[in-house]
């Protein structure tokens, strides 16, 4: 017996020696755990809007590091009870748990239980690969013991709770709390903590967004373990079991799905490199208005869908078909891999009244279509997968919307198309389109700077000009085909008369017009063609927005920008951008320009906007064959430009001019921007005055010939009334007192000198009437 024991001991000693040598060999090159002394994992960078509220995030791993003292005890205990109940007493490994797991694995003939402690899980996540092997488990155990020799238990728990993956792209408890419950980890209650602590075992399986029933059962397991460890009472347990999981709401499946986020991401990479995204931790303060941006994006989608149904789908060109065919063939989709809310290219298999059937790789589907005109079998369409096998057909029509704070240049809204996942082409910055009549205010501004007034007369009649772009005679025609003879500058712009505008260009020549264009924000080189007056050049929506913002800011141009500052995780300011503004046009003439653009709304092509709750000004734009529809305009604070059309030039539909296809969307967005109801008015500019003008004679109105009030630069108004009598205005033009812009919701007083609505006199105008009556 002694001999057998001796042999057994010898064999055991030999095996132990061999095992020891094996452990020494495989662990001699393990990383030094001391390198974690200043460890901070990659964090998400936060994009903040103009009110410093969170707009979106940039991350490779969505994580926000929080110190252990910011994590509630019930959260810590939930994880400890579930993952490592001996955490505070074990040396990094739990021998009994390992033995127990081994026995169960042998009984079940496979891996049924792991037995890893929190320290082991941390070591594996930080230093090792996820391979399943004996050598990795040994390395994991050795590193876990070393961690416990160097760091306190609280420090290990802090690193673990910030490192662990908890599903839905969230790393660490802070990111998970925000993702699932819309709150910080410091605000999470016991019941929510149990949901989070149930995730490490299988984050996808127990994701409450994906599998709410399994998540509920797992929550109860965590609560039971907390009860067994004495961390909670029976009453706590029952309360949480009876309380259903309440999530923050539907979250986005990816975070780079809008045009503004993408432009921020590209800016960060261009300025700080790819590492800035992977390391994260930046706070990026932007100019965006989150609520207005989200409303505008949703409204753009609704508007394009409705408009597409009205005009029907376009006939696809050969190039369109080839492009869509490539996208279709590159999709690898099956019923198991199709993703909710994603956009796919589908090929039409059959068409019936109000419905089409189609395929997307291995997926078959059908969807309702109100207007199947121009669709045919074999064509391609964009579809969005909704849920439960249902799809929605998306429009081919696209749009661009950009809103700018006229006084600073800060971009409040930036929408580059129907949706970023459908097309990453940012039409605000990248799409060059003909602006049509939206270019005309530049010509009229040049005229004002050259002595013209709102009542200067133009010839609106068929006059031929040599068109250098086509090397032939060209006679401009008005939109409705009619000519109106001699018209005022005001009427010509309000009614968007083409012939009168080209005539005006011929009178003032090209150089003054080009000078104004470059001053207000047009960056493209403009040709000296008379067709320029009708918007035959190509510009981007952001250029047109800058132009109208300059008019709306009374001649002061502010460069558009979208980032205010960037702060790193230590609080250091890496970048700061303040408004860059410059007075490029004189204020009095610019004020008259605003009044001209008010006329477009009050009596011209944009009269639909005249009923808005705030005063607005702007200009419609339409190109040949209704290929581009525009509206560019502003209120006293915000400038917004809307473009609607197809990426490849083709008619939107018969009659789809700017007032029909772009203006209603502009009105909706601007109404939402002014939803607070705060009173606004365009300010009175020193050096200008409203004069009552008889529309028949274009002389000063009196009691014999009532007129409307027109804004003039001082010294440019007529001095003779409609009866041919000289009018003495000298006593009116004393230096005006300070008249501040009204604040809040109070109505304007006489002293504030607001711009009049139609036939509503200002203080100066009333004084003029009194002079005329008492003459």
């Amino acid at each position: 017996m002694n001999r057998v024991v001796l042999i057994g001991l010898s064999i055991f000693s030999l095996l132990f020696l061999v095992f020891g040598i094996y452990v020494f060999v495989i662990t001699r090159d393990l990383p030094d755990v001391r390198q974690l002394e200043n460890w901070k994992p990659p964090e998400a960078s936060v994009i903040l809007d103009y009110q410093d509220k969170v707009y979106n995030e940039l991350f490779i791993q969505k994580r926000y590091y929080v110190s252990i003292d910011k994590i509630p005890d019930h959260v810590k205990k939930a994880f400890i009870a579930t993952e490592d109940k001996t955490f505070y007493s074990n040396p990094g490994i739990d021998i009994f748990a390992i033995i127990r797991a081994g026995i169960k694995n042998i009984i079940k003939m496979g891996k049924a239980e792991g037995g890893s402690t929190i320290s082991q899980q941390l070591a594996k996540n930080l230093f090792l690969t996820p391979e399943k092997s004996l050598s990795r488990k040994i390395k994991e155990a050795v590193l876990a013991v070393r961690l416990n020799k160097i760091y306190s238990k609280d420090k290990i728990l802090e690193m673990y709770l910030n490192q662990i993956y908890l599903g839905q792209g969230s790393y660490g408890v802070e990111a998970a709390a925000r993702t699932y419950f819309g709150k910080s980890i410091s605000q999470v209650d016991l019941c929510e903590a149990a949901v989070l602590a149930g995730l490490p075992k299988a984050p996808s399986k127990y994701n409450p967004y994906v599998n709410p029933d399994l998540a509920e059962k797992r929550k109860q397991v965590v609560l039971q373990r907390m009860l067994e460890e004495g961390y909670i009472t029976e009453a706590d347990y029952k309360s949480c079991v009876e309380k259903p999981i309440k999530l923050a709401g539907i979250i986005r499946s990816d975070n780079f799905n809008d045009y503004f986020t993408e432009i921020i991401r590209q800016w960060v990479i261009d300025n700080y490199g790819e590492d800035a995204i992977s390391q994260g931790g930046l706070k990026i303060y932007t100019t965006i208005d989150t609520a207005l941006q989200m409303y505008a994006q949703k409204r753009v989608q609704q508007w394009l869908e409705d408009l597409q149904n009205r005009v029907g789908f376009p006939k696809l060109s050969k190039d369109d078909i080839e492009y869509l065919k490539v996208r279709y063939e590159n999709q690898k989709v099956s019923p198991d891999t199709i993703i909710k809310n994603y956009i796919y290219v589908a090929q039409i298999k059959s068409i019936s009244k109000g419905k089409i059937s189609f395929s997307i790789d291995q997926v078959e589907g059908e969807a309702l279509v109100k207007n199947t005109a121009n669709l045919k079998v074999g064509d391609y369409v964009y579809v969005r997968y909704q849920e439960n096998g249902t799809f929605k057909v998306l429009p081919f029509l696209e749009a661009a919307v950009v809103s700018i704070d006229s006084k600073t240049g800060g971009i409040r809204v930036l929408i580059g198309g129907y949706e970023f996942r459908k097309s990453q082409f940012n039409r605000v910055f990248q799409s060059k389109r003909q602006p049509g009549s939206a270019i005309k205010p530049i010509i009229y501004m040049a005229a004002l700077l050259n002595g013209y007034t709102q009542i200067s007369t133009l010839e609106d009649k068929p006059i031929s000009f040599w068109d250098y772009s086509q090397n032939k005679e060209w006679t401009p025609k008005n939109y409705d085909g009619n000519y109106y003879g001699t018209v005022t500058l005001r009427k010509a712009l309000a009614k968007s008369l083409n012939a009168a505008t080209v005539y005006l260009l011929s009178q003032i020549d090209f150089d003054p017009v080009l000078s104004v264009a470059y001053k207000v924000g047009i960056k493209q080189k403009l040709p000296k063609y008379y067709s320029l007056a009708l918007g035959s050049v190509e510009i981007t929506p952001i250029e047109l927005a800058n132009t109208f913002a300059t008019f709306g800011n009374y001649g002061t141009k502010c460069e558009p920008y979208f980032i205010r500052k960037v702060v790193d995780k230590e609080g250091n300011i890496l970048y700061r951008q303040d408004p860059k503004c410059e007075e490029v046009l004189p204020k009095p003439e610019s004020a008259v320009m605003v009044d001209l653009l008010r006329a477009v709304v009050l009596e011209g092509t944009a009269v639909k906007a005249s009923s808005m709750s705030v005063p607005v000004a702007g200009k419609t734009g339409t190109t040949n064959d209704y290929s581009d529809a525009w509206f560019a305009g502003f209120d006293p604070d915000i400038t917004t430009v809307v473009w609607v059309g197809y990426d490849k030039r083709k008619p939107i539909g018969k009659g789809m001019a700017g007032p029909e296809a772009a203006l209603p969307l502009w009105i909706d967005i601007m109404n939402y921007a002014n939803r607070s109801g705060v009173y606004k008015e365009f300010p009175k500019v020193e050096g200008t005055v409203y004069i009552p003008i008889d529309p028949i004679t274009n002389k000063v109105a009196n009691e014999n010939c009532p007129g409307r009030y027109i804004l003039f630069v001082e010294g440019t108004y007529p001095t003779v009334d409609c009866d041919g009598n000289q009018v003495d205005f000298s006593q009116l033009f004393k230096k005006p007192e300070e008249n501040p812009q009204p604040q809040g919701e109070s109505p304007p007083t006489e002293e504030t000198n607001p711009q009049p609505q139609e036939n509503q006199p200002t203080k100066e105008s009333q004084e003029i009437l009194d002079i005329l009556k008492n003459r």
Side-chain angles (χ1 to χ4, degrees):
M1 186 67 177
N2 291 338
R3 181 180 174 83
V4 173
V5 172
L6 186 60
I7 293 173
L9 287 173
S10 299
I11 293 173
F12 177 80
S13 299
L14 181 61
L15 291 175
F16 186 80
L17 178 62
V18 171
F19 180 74
I21 295 172
Y22 173 71
V23 170
F24 172 77
V25 170
I26 66 172
T27 61
R28 61 182 175 178
D29 294 326
L30 286 178
D32 186 353
V33 296
R34 287 185 177 83
Q35 65 185 274
L36 297 179
E37 288 178 3
N38 297 312
W39 173 80
K40 281 290 180 72
E43 297 182 57
S45 291
V46 181
I47 301 173
L48 302 158
D49 70 5
Y50 83 116
Q51 294 179 320
D52 295 347
K53 297 177 181 177
V54 175
Y55 174 77
N56 210 337
E57 300 156 330
L58 300 176
F59 53 82
I60 301 299
Q61 293 183 351
K62 183 180 179 181
R63 178 189 285 107
Y64 311 92
Y65 196 94
V66 287
S67 58
I68 195 69
D69 59 296
K70 299 293 194 304
I71 302 173
D73 283 343
H74 55 262
V75 174
K76 303 174 196 173
K77 290 174 179 178
F79 279 88
I80 290 171
T82 308
E83 295 297 317
D84 185 3
K85 64 182 181 180
T86 66
F87 172 70
Y88 277 106
S89 60
N90 69 52
I93 57 174
D94 187 341
I95 299 297
F96 294 106
I98 294 173
I99 294 172
R100 184 170 60 250
I103 293 172
K104 287 186 177 181
N105 292 343
I106 291 171
I107 293 173
K108 295 188 178 183
M109 301 298 291
K111 182 172 174 56
E113 194 170 308
S116 292
T117 63
I118 283 176
S119 299
Q120 286 175 269
Q121 292 180 53
L122 179 63
K124 178 185 69 175
N125 291 335
L126 291 179
F127 298 115
L128 303 174
T129 65
E131 66 170 324
K132 295 180 180 179
S133 66
L134 176 62
S135 63
R136 198 220 72 198
K137 291 297 290 184
I138 293 172
K139 292 176 183 179
E140 177 186 298
V142 171
L143 286 170
V145 172
R146 291 180 183 176
L147 280 171
N148 279 262
K149 286 183 178 180
I150 300 297
Y151 302 105
S152 68
K153 286 291 186 179
D154 280 350
K155 185 62 179 179
I156 291 172
L157 186 59
E158 177 183 303
M159 290 189 285
Y160 170 78
L161 292 177
N162 279 284
Q163 172 63 29
I164 192 167
Y165 180 63
L166 296 173
Q168 203 71 41
S170 301
Y171 290 79
V173 291
E174 177 67 19
R178 297 188 192 188
T179 296
Y180 295 112
F181 305 118
K183 60 179 71 170
S184 173
I185 191 64
S186 62
Q187 301 169 310
V188 165
D189 63 27
L190 170 63
C191 309
E192 293 164 337
V195 175
L196 298 181
L199 290 167
K201 183 177 182 179
S204 298
K205 181 179 179 180
Y206 297 118
N207 183 332
Y209 280 113
V210 179
N211 298 309
D213 292 339
L214 287 177
E216 187 65 49
K217 291 177 181 178
R218 181 63 178 165
K219 179 189 80 172
Q220 293 178 24
V221 170
V222 174
L223 291 168
Q224 180 63 41
R225 293 183 181 178
M226 293 184 76
L227 181 63
E228 291 171 356
E229 294 301 315
Y231 292 147
I232 60 174
T233 65
E234 188 73 35
D236 293 331
Y237 173 81
K238 289 182 179 179
S239 175
C240 284
V241 167
E242 293 171 358
K243 183 180 179 181
I245 299 172
K246 185 177 181 180
L247 299 171
I250 297 174
I251 63 172
R252 292 175 285 194
S253 56
D254 61 89
N255 75 317
F256 301 146
N257 66 352
D258 75 88
Y259 293 95
F260 188 71
T261 299
E262 175 61 16
I263 203 168
I264 295 296
R265 189 181 74 87
Q266 288 292 341
W267 186 93
V268 170
I269 291 173
D270 291 344
N271 286 272
Y272 302 109
E274 293 279 357
D275 289 346
I277 300 295
S278 62
Q279 292 302 312
L282 301 177
K283 287 186 177 179
I284 306 163
Y285 294 82
T286 74
T287 62
I288 205 74
D289 180 337
T290 300
L292 185 58
Q293 169 82 0
M294 296 307 175
Y295 173 83
Q297 181 70 75
K298 183 177 181 181
R299 191 66 191 94
V300 163
Q301 293 180 355
Q302 293 171 338
W303 178 250
L304 293 179
E305 291 165 9
D306 293 343
L307 196 60
Q308 191 79 85
N309 285 327
R310 284 167 56 189
V311 302
F313 284 82
K315 293 181 180 178
L316 299 179
S317 68
K318 184 177 179 181
D319 289 342
D320 292 330
I321 294 171
E322 285 300 315
Y323 169 74
L324 292 169
K325 181 181 179 182
V326 171
R327 287 193 63 172
Y328 174 79
E329 292 176 346
N330 286 338
Q331 298 170 131
K332 303 301 177 186
V333 187
S334 69
D336 294 330
T337 61
I338 196 163
I339 302 172
K340 182 179 178 181
N341 288 330
Y342 268 61
I343 295 172
Y344 299 93
V345 176
Q347 186 173 37
I348 299 174
K349 297 301 182 185
S350 66
I351 302 173
S352 58
K353 187 176 181 180
K355 186 170 69 174
I356 63 171
S357 298
F358 51 80
S359 65
I360 312 167
D361 194 23
Q362 302 174 40
V363 174
E364 301 292 326
E366 59 182 29
L368 300 177
V369 179
K370 290 183 180 179
N371 191 337
T372 58
N374 295 328
L375 293 179
K376 62 180 185 294
V377 173
D379 274 354
Y380 299 95
V381 291
Y382 290 101
V383 299
R384 185 197 304 280
Y385 179 64
Q386 295 178 304
E387 57 184 348
N388 301 323
T390 61
F391 292 87
K392 180 179 184 179
V393 177
L394 307 184
F396 281 98
L397 274 171
E398 285 292 353
V401 177
V402 57
S403 295
I404 297 176
D405 183 325
S406 306
K407 297 178 176 63
T408 67
I411 293 176
R412 295 284 186 255
V413 173
L414 196 157
I415 297 169
Y418 175 86
E419 186 178 318
F420 186 72
R421 283 179 291 203
K422 178 179 174 228
S423 166
Q424 286 76 56
F425 183 58
N426 190 331
R427 294 157 188 83
V428 170
F429 292 100
Q430 296 175 295
S431 181
K432 293 182 180 181
R433 307 292 297 215
Q434 292 183 356
S437 294
I439 200 77
K440 288 177 181 176
I442 293 175
I443 298 168
Y444 286 74
M445 185 71 234
L448 294 176
L449 294 174
N450 281 270
Y452 283 71
T453 71
Q454 294 198 62
I455 60 173
S456 296
T457 56
L458 308 173
E459 294 302 317
D460 187 65
K461 58 187 180 182
I463 302 176
S464 295
F465 300 89
W466 185 259
D467 182 5
Y468 289 97
S469 64
Q470 301 181 53
N471 286 318
K472 65 178 183 180
E473 287 279 325
W474 170 63
T475 304
K477 297 179 181 179
N478 289 327
Y479 176 77
D480 61 4
N482 299 318
Y483 294 95
Y484 295 86
T486 301
V487 296
T488 63
L489 202 78
R490 182 181 177 93
K491 181 175 180 178
L493 184 61
K495 301 296 184 183
S496 199
L497 302 180
N498 293 338
T501 303
V502 177
Y503 173 82
L504 175 61
L505 177 58
S506 72
Q507 297 301 297
I508 62 176
D509 207 1
F510 290 99
D511 288 339
V513 172
L514 300 188
S515 175
V516 170
Y518 299 142
K519 285 179 180 178
V520 297
I522 302 299
K523 298 184 183 302
Q524 312 299 321
K525 183 174 175 58
L526 302 180
K528 294 183 178 182
Y529 300 151
Y530 282 112
S531 58
L532 168 68
L534 308 186
S536 62
V537 297
E538 292 186 336
I539 62 175
T540 60
I542 191 66
E543 289 176 278
L544 195 63
N546 199 14
T547 296
F548 276 77
T550 303
F551 293 147
N553 199 24
Y554 292 84
T556 296
K557 181 179 74 171
C558 298
E559 290 295 332
Y561 72 109
F562 47 84
I563 292 180
R564 294 179 287 138
K565 66 178 178 179
V566 178
V567 179
D568 68 15
K569 63 179 68 177
E570 280 77 38
N572 300 310
I573 297 176
L574 304 180
Y575 173 86
R576 183 188 293 277
Q577 171 69 67
D578 295 319
K580 294 181 179 178
C581 300
E582 175 189 7
E583 186 173 314
V584 296
L585 299 171
K587 287 188 181 299
E589 284 80 1
S590 297
V592 175
M593 186 71 247
V594 171
D595 202 54
L596 278 169
L597 293 172
R598 286 281 290 136
V600 176
V601 172
L602 294 174
E603 60 209 58
T605 57
V607 73
K608 288 179 181 178
S610 61
S611 61
M612 292 178 65
S613 60
V614 295
V616 296
K619 185 69 187 76
T620 52
T622 311
T623 58
N624 291 341
D625 301 322
Y626 306 106
S627 296
D628 300 272
W630 296 84
F631 191 78
F634 48 84
D635 67 14
D637 295 324
I638 300 292
T639 297
T640 296
V641 167
V642 171
W643 167 83
V644 174
Y646 292 104
D647 283 335
K648 293 193 175 178
R649 188 179 174 88
K650 56 173 70 75
I652 299 170
K654 187 175 181 180
M656 289 294 116
E660 187 67 27
L663 178 58
L665 179 58
W666 185 93
I667 291 172
D668 287 346
I669 292 170
M670 289 296 282
N671 273 332
Y672 190 83
N674 288 284
R675 62 194 181 281
S676 66
V678 174
Y679 179 79
K680 290 183 179 181
E681 233 344 324
F682 288 108
K684 173 70 173 67
V685 173
E686 185 176 354
T688 63
V689 63
Y690 283 99
I691 303 291
I693 297 295
D694 170 28
I696 297 175
T697 64
N698 286 326
K699 303 296 184 182
V700 180
N702 62 26
E703 63 273 16
N704 298 321
C705 49
R708 68 174 54 186
Y709 292 89
I710 305 296
L711 189 67
F712 291 87
V713 175
E714 285 187 2
T716 66
Y717 42 82
T719 58
V720 176
D721 68 14
C722 56
D723 293 329
N725 300 310
Q726 194 74 25
V727 181
D728 180 13
F729 297 121
S730 59
Q731 61 178 303
L732 284 177
F733 304 131
K734 300 175 182 177
K735 186 175 178 61
E737 297 177 358
E738 289 295 323
N739 293 312
Q741 182 77 358
Q743 302 295 321
E745 299 183 4
S746 301
T749 62
E750 185 181 52
E751 284 74 24
T752 60
N753 288 331
Q755 180 177 348
Q757 301 294 324
E758 235 175 339
N759 298 320
Q760 179 184 345
T762 60
K763 180 180 177 181
E764 291 97 328
S765 303
Q766 187 61 53
E767 289 175 347
I768 294 168
L769 273 181
D770 292 341
I771 292 172
L772 294 171
K773 289 179 180 178
N774 298 323
R775 187 171 39 84

